[in-house]
Amino acid sequence: MVLLIVAPAVKPCEPPAGVARLYSALNRHGIACTVLDACIEGILQLARNPVRGSDRWTTRARRNLDRNLDSLRSRAGYRNFDAYKRAVADINRLLAMSVADPSIHLSLANYQADGLSPVKSADLVRAFEQPEGNPFFPVFSARLTDIIEKERPFLAGFSLNYLSQALCTFAMAGFISRRFPGIKIVLGGGLVTSWMRSPSWRSPFGGLIDLLVDGPGEYALLSLAGIEASNPDPPLPDYTPFPMKDYLAPGPVVPYSASTGCYWNRCSFCPERAEGNPYVPVPTPKALEDLHTLAVRTRPALVHLLDNAVSPALLNAICTHPFGTPWYGFARITRQFTDPDFCASLKRSGCVMLKLGIESGDQEVIDRENKGIDLDIASAALKTLKRFGIATYVYLLFGTPSEDLESARKTLRFTTSHSQWIDYLNLAIFNLPLNSPDAIGLETSLLYEGDLSLYTGFRHPKGWDRAHVRHFLDREFRRHPAVAPILRRDPPFFTSNHAPFFAMNSPS
Ligand code: SF4
């Protein structure tokens, strides 16, 4: 028996696709498997037990908890944005108040502990050695003991995808290792893969973790179970072991990856490219079949396509053979999106929102960073998508080596002149990936003090450093009267995960 574990803290609105795929692969080969989503379980339990706060806000939040949870699990909860924000803020308040130690900061989207950094291996080792210090300890120690004593797994596999999960993952692994020393501990997932793809990687976790897995984990787990797998197709994710009704969404949200890597793979700021991740698509007919099967089996309220960029071939296939469920995902801006017929069929296929990386409003920056988009096409695409009722979540990136204040102001002008066609905005400050080919020629230094950091600081060639970028964003960009309302409608904590539900409720 294999136990697959998702540790806190990730946004508790959908199950993780990676674990669903592992579960499916193990089942297909006759390996019994149990899944523990310790994130959603932990968050719901901690929210019920605030140990601090007798103020009016916490008292109200406690009184309204069930009503607020119900509202985030119903379509009606996404009709009134102010009521939604109040519900989210109240649940988040209870989580913050559930932690006795004021040096620990827990929210609906993050977990941080002062003095413990998820990018320092020594701190992760400390979390492993002192699991009692983790606020989720009472919840996960009881659940793990119960499951392990009943099911007797020989292996516990953790899916570690985000920095916000790292400290809790190591705390849970440390608990298992101490209490049930015979169980093999395996760590995989996106973050572990990124660590291991660094050319200077040498595991600092020898003696603690039995196996770290680079890339998809199914073959590693099957081989530990004594099975040499031969089926090259990625398994269809199976969401049956997840507590689908518990997630904070108005119905099941089903994530699906039709590819890993990116078919464009040329943007110079991209961590995928810096890590050298190859583009591996699921063949389009198989991806389409998977989506149809998932739609029938899980009756989702929403499908979340996880691809870094959904390929034009898959978009076309979904348009001609829709799977009958609302969906959203990331796409690269191409001429396709300026075609009214295409956008109309995209809308009919169930597309409610597209996440689009425009990154800059300065064509020269876009070209120098190899983004490969044309701002005139982006402009026409935003207008056409809006015309057909498809919401847009636009991603902008500031502080790349080719940007300066003047180009950032061009981005501001592009945004303001398109504000009526942009539904949501994500503003990010550039991080230089370690080992990026673009680091050559830049004066680099350590940005984060951590041996597991994936990024490095650098001296900006035009003096447009992070402090200047932050100042510009805070004083000019965010305050602009055409930008501020877009930023204000971003769903707090859940951002693009909940935005499609508002898009589905808005008249098109
Ligand atoms: S489109 Fe996105 S994922 Fe693809 S290379 Fe560019 S930044 Fe990376």
Side-chain angles (χ1 to χ4, degrees), residues 262 264-267 269-270 308 332 371:
C262 170
W264 175 251
N265 201 28
R266 281 186 236 170
C267 303
F269 50 81
C270 178
N308 285 309
R332 288 193 71 248
K371 180 70 196 168

Side-chain angles (χ1 to χ4, degrees), residues 59-214:
T59 309
R60 181 192 75 189
R62 205 189 298 235
R63 194 175 55 238
N64 292 339
L65 178 61
D66 284 326
R67 205 172 68 195
N68 286 335
L69 292 172
D70 286 349
S71 116
L72 295 187
R73 292 178 183 136
S74 74
R75 283 294 290 273
Y78 298 77
R79 289 206 184 107
N80 179 326
F81 191 55
D82 287 335
Y84 165 88
K85 278 199 297 187
R86 255 195 319 274
V88 169
D90 279 4
I91 297 170
N92 193 64
R93 173 74 177 175
L94 294 176
L95 273 183
M97 291 293 123
S98 71
V99 180
D101 180 348
S103 71
I104 290 177
H105 313 283
L106 176 61
S107 76
L108 278 163
N110 205 0
Y111 174 89
Q112 286 176 304
D114 296 344
L116 282 181
S117 164
V119 297
K120 284 186 181 166
S121 58
D123 288 354
L124 295 179
V125 171
R126 253 175 77 198
F128 183 97
E129 288 168 346
Q130 297 165 14
E132 302 81 4
N134 188 288
F136 290 96
F137 179 80
V139 184
F140 70 63
S141 57
R143 279 292 277 141
L144 285 171
T145 302
D146 186 41
I147 294 174
I148 293 172
E149 287 182 346
K150 268 195 206 125
E151 314 266 358
R152 305 265 161 214
F154 73 95
L155 184 152
F158 287 87
S159 174
L160 172 50
N161 291 297
Y162 302 100
L163 277 179
S164 57
Q165 290 179 291
L167 289 164
C168 296
T169 296
F170 276 79
M172 293 183 76
F175 171 77
I176 295 175
S177 164
R178 191 195 304 164
R179 181 76 199 273
F180 304 98
I183 296 180
K184 273 193 192 330
I185 295 182
V186 178
L187 252 59
L191 183 60
V192 176
T193 299
S194 296
W195 288 342
M196 295 179 77
R197 293 203 176 160
S198 161
S200 57
W201 167 254
R202 288 175 65 200
S203 173
F205 307 121
L208 304 185
I209 306 296
D210 292 290
L211 181 68
L212 291 142
V213 181
D214 169 356

Side-chain angles (χ1 to χ4, degrees), residues 282-346:
V282 177
T284 300
K286 162 88 168 77
L288 197 61
E289 187 191 320
D290 284 355
L291 288 165
H292 279 265
T293 309
L294 283 170
V296 171
R297 279 195 196 156
T298 56
R299 307 235 158 260
L302 184 68
V303 167
H304 178 185
L305 295 180
L306 302 171
D307 305 48
N308 285 309
V310 180
S311 72
L314 183 57
L315 289 173
N316 278 323
I318 292 172
C319 285
T320 37
H321 301 285
F323 46 90
T325 300
W327 63 272
Y328 78 108
F330 255 114
R332 288 193 71 248
I333 288 192
T334 59
R335 215 175 270 282
Q336 259 181 328
F337 298 116
T338 64
D339 175 354
D341 291 340
F342 178 74
C343 289
S345 62
L346 206 56

Side-chain angles (χ1 to χ4, degrees), residues 302 327-331 333 337 343 346-347 350-356 381-395 419-425 486 489 491 495-496 498-508:
L302 184 68
W327 63 272
Y328 78 108
F330 255 114
I333 288 192
F337 298 116
C343 289
L346 206 56
K347 177 69 180 174
C351 178
V352 287
M353 186 179 93
L354 286 177
K355 303 204 276 181
L356 302 166
L382 290 173
K383 292 168 190 167
T384 316
L385 288 166
K386 186 75 180 173
R387 187 175 141 209
F388 288 94
I390 296 171
T392 54
Y393 205 114
V394 170
Y395 287 68
S419 58
Q420 58 183 303
W421 300 291
I422 296 174
D423 292 281
Y424 302 99
L425 267 177
I486 305 178
R489 58 177 175 254
T495 65
S496 64
H498 274 177
F501 296 116
F502 289 99
M504 284 155 76
N505 274 341
S506 71
S508 52

